[in-house]
Amino acid sequence: MTQAGLFAEPEALKPLAERMRPRALEEVVGQSRLLAQGSAFRRAVESGRLHSMVLWGPPGCGKTTLALLLARYADARFESVSAVLSGLPEVRKVLAEAEARFKAGERTLLFVDEVHRFNKAQQDAFLPHIERGYILFVGATTENPSFELNSALLSRCRVHVLEGVAPAEIVQALNRALTDAERGLGGRSLRASQENLQLIAEAADGDVRRALTLLEIAAELAEGEGGEISGATLTQVLADRTRRFDKGGEQFYDQISALHKCVRSSNPDAALYWLCRMLDGGCDPSYLARRLLRMSIEDIGLADPRAQQMALDAWDTFERLGSPEGELALAQVTLYMASTAKSNAGYVAYKAAAAEVRGSGTQDVPLHLRNAPTKLMKSLGYGQQYQYDHDVEGGVALDQTGFPDAVGEQVYYRPVPRGLELKLKDKLDALRAARAKARGEASAAGQGGDA
């Protein structure tokens, strides 16, 4: 679809958000960092000297609008494909047409919406046309391009990060829509206080398109109530104020990361905030219960072994009570885990021991540690010189080794001086010192005997 064709469509039939789409950079709200006067990106846009790019940002932040403006400033034909609706045959057709226009002296800006949904073969189809200049490629994605786009495509494009639009900036767009008689609602004698527009902006959660849609719905209701978009009107319109949350997407992993890190940082209030954000956004509470259990093992461990059992109990409680009552159990264990002593010593020890096993290969079990259920095994030395710790003074055979000879005695577990591990640390420090002394004495005695 050409740019001229887009703006020539019957305005009255379009939704308000589409009618109010900015036609110049000055009308764009938000993205002040990228579009600031004098910025490198803005100078490039205004001069028409553009490069292929990927626009990465949340829904409703202006990716499509910016692509349309890029085509306008570059005096290029605007073509659009959607990775949700288009397949490779359609993509090849559009690319062939762009190549023909290029050879006829006309530029084409190809906007690819939801580009992360294209597979590798589909993404690769753009590469030669970008390299030869047949198209000015502009991809839009809500997902992290580093994970979702081919490195070959990324190497040919600049990635520009767009941000969710702040409520104050969304209010600007709402005011413009209310007063614009040509494209907006200016000819309908509607009234709305700035406080109520602020409520709409906050409910939109950074999404300008959503804010304008909410305003349009409110306007329809208000026309039957004297033209006033009142608090009562907004109570109906904003009944379902769900926050932005993409299950399995970038925001999903950002928020679970925030929850985990706030538990680890002993910040119960922040941890509770992120738990509620995820529950409010529709995250499966069972997933959160599983992640909380992992936190109890990875970040609290033996500093407070009760945390693991409490996480299991909270999970079980949620399964029995369901939502929303069961969510309180998840909240309580979150608060407890964020408040109690922390240790990753067990986690670090496990990783170190696993690395040792991978690196040292298959080592024989020392003879004194082997099981000897038969006479043959005993005759081969299995179990010989093993010291039964309960029969030794103090209950520990200090000079008895536990590792394969080729590995030698190692220390993986280093308890932290916090919580229950403080006592474990004192005990193990003393025990390890006694073991080292006993092994040294045994080694000296053996060397004396050889002499």
Side-chain angles (χ1 to χ4, degrees):
M1 181 183 297
T2 65
Q3 172 191 318
L6 176 73
F7 292 128
E9 291 176 2
E11 292 292 317
L13 300 180
K14 297 179 185 178
L16 177 64
E18 185 64 28
R19 299 200 307 271
M20 292 303 301
R21 191 183 292 280
R23 296 181 178 180
L25 289 177
E26 290 72 24
E27 295 183 10
V28 176
V29 294
Q31 313 314 327
S32 56
R33 177 190 57 79
L34 188 64
L35 298 177
Q37 287 287 351
S39 69
F41 183 79
R42 181 154 187 156
R43 291 199 307 270
V45 172
E46 292 177 335
S47 67
R49 295 192 298 271
L50 297 173
H51 49 267
S52 289
M53 67 187 74
V54 173
L55 303 176
W56 171 28
C61 67
K63 298 185 291 295
T64 304
T65 293
L66 186 54
L68 283 162
L69 292 175
L70 293 176
R72 182 172 186 175
Y73 280 89
D75 194 25
R77 182 185 178 97
F78 183 86
E79 292 285 348
S80 175
V81 296
S82 169
V84 177
L85 303 174
S86 304
L88 195 53
E90 183 177 346
V91 169
R92 286 174 173 158
K93 179 177 180 292
V94 172
L95 292 173
E97 292 171 351
E99 181 179 350
R101 280 193 294 271
F102 177 82
K103 293 176 180 178
E106 183 182 1
R107 301 179 72 184
T108 300
L109 184 147
L110 178 58
F111 177 64
V112 183
D113 198 16
E114 303 285 344
V115 63
H116 61 276
R117 296 183 182 273
F118 273 145
N119 60 35
K120 183 180 185 302
Q122 290 168 318
Q123 291 182 30
D124 286 346
F126 299 111
L127 301 181
H129 294 77
I130 296 174
E131 290 177 347
R132 295 166 188 162
Y134 295 160
I135 59 170
L136 178 62
F137 177 88
V138 179
T141 179
T142 57
E143 300 299 327
N144 190 328
S146 300
F147 302 139
E148 303 295 339
L149 300 186
N150 293 348
S151 57
L153 182 59
L154 283 176
S155 70
R156 292 161 173 81
C157 299
R158 290 273 301 276
V159 175
H160 295 292
V161 181
L162 280 68
E163 300 159 348
V165 184
E169 295 167 324
I170 293 179
V171 169
Q172 296 175 25
L174 296 175
N175 275 313
R176 184 182 301 146
L178 274 175
T179 57
D180 189 321
E182 178 191 355
R183 294 184 288 159
L185 305 171
R188 296 166 63 173
S189 301
L190 294 168
R191 303 179 307 281
S193 68
Q194 293 303 300
E195 291 78 9
N196 284 339
L197 292 182
Q198 180 73 19
L199 289 176
I200 294 176
E202 291 172 356
D205 201 25
D207 187 332
V208 180
R209 180 174 56 242
R210 184 180 183 188
L212 290 169
T213 300
L214 291 172
L215 178 64
E216 188 170 28
I217 296 170
E220 294 293 335
L221 294 174
E223 285 188 327
E225 301 172 1
E228 176 70 22
I229 299 178
S230 63
T233 305
L234 294 185
T235 298
Q236 301 177 63
V237 176
L238 307 182
D240 180 19
R241 294 182 56 179
T242 55
R243 258 56 61 194
R244 201 167 55 234
F245 186 83
D246 182 12
K247 298 178 184 179
E250 181 74 12
Q251 289 189 38
F252 178 92
Y253 293 109
D254 283 347
Q255 291 182 27
I256 193 61
S257 174
L259 171 60
H260 195 153
K261 288 171 181 172
C262 289
V263 168
R264 181 183 294 150
S265 295
S266 296
N267 191 336
D269 303 294
L272 186 61
Y273 168 83
W274 291 113
L275 177 78
C276 291
R277 273 284 298 273
M278 297 193 77
L279 288 170
D280 178 78
C283 180
D284 181 1
S286 295
Y287 170 82
L288 289 171
R290 181 170 64 83
R291 290 301 297 253
L292 289 167
L293 179 59
R294 176 191 167 182
M295 294 173 209
S296 73
I297 299 169
E298 179 179 335
D299 290 295
I300 298 171
L302 296 178
D304 187 351
R306 294 170 297 184
Q308 180 178 339
Q309 186 57 54
M310 288 179 68
L312 283 168
D313 290 343
W315 193 348
D316 183 57
T317 299
F318 175 80
E319 293 296 332
R320 291 170 183 268
L321 282 181
S323 181
E325 292 83 359
E327 292 166 4
L328 180 58
L330 302 182
Q332 288 180 346
V333 76
T334 298
L335 291 170
Y336 181 82
M337 292 198 308
S339 303
T340 195
K342 308 294 187 301
S343 172
N344 72 338
Y347 178 77
V348 171
Y350 170 75
K351 293 288 187 181
E356 182 81 64
V357 169
R358 290 192 300 269
S360 60
T362 305
Q363 299 293 329
D364 292 335
V365 176
L367 286 174
H368 67 279
L369 294 179
R370 296 187 190 184
N371 187 32
T374 68
K375 290 183 179 180
L376 175 61
M377 290 177 170
K378 291 178 181 178
S379 69
L380 294 174
Y382 283 32
Q384 290 182 10
Q385 299 181 344
Y386 170 66
Q387 302 176 63
Y388 187 58
D389 294 81
H390 296 293
D391 292 343
V392 176
E393 184 179 354
V396 179
L398 295 173
D399 60 342
Q400 184 165 257
T401 60
F403 282 85
D405 294 337
V407 176
E409 291 294 316
Q410 301 291 325
V411 175
Y412 304 131
Y413 179 47
R414 301 178 186 275
V416 300
R418 293 186 292 275
L420 180 61
E421 279 198 327
L422 179 60
K423 296 182 178 179
L424 294 176
K425 183 179 187 303
D426 291 342
K427 178 178 180 179
L428 287 179
D429 284 349
L431 189 56
R432 284 166 176 164
R435 283 188 189 279
K437 180 180 179 181
R439 289 198 304 272
E441 293 173 350
S443 176
Q447 292 174 358
D450 292 340

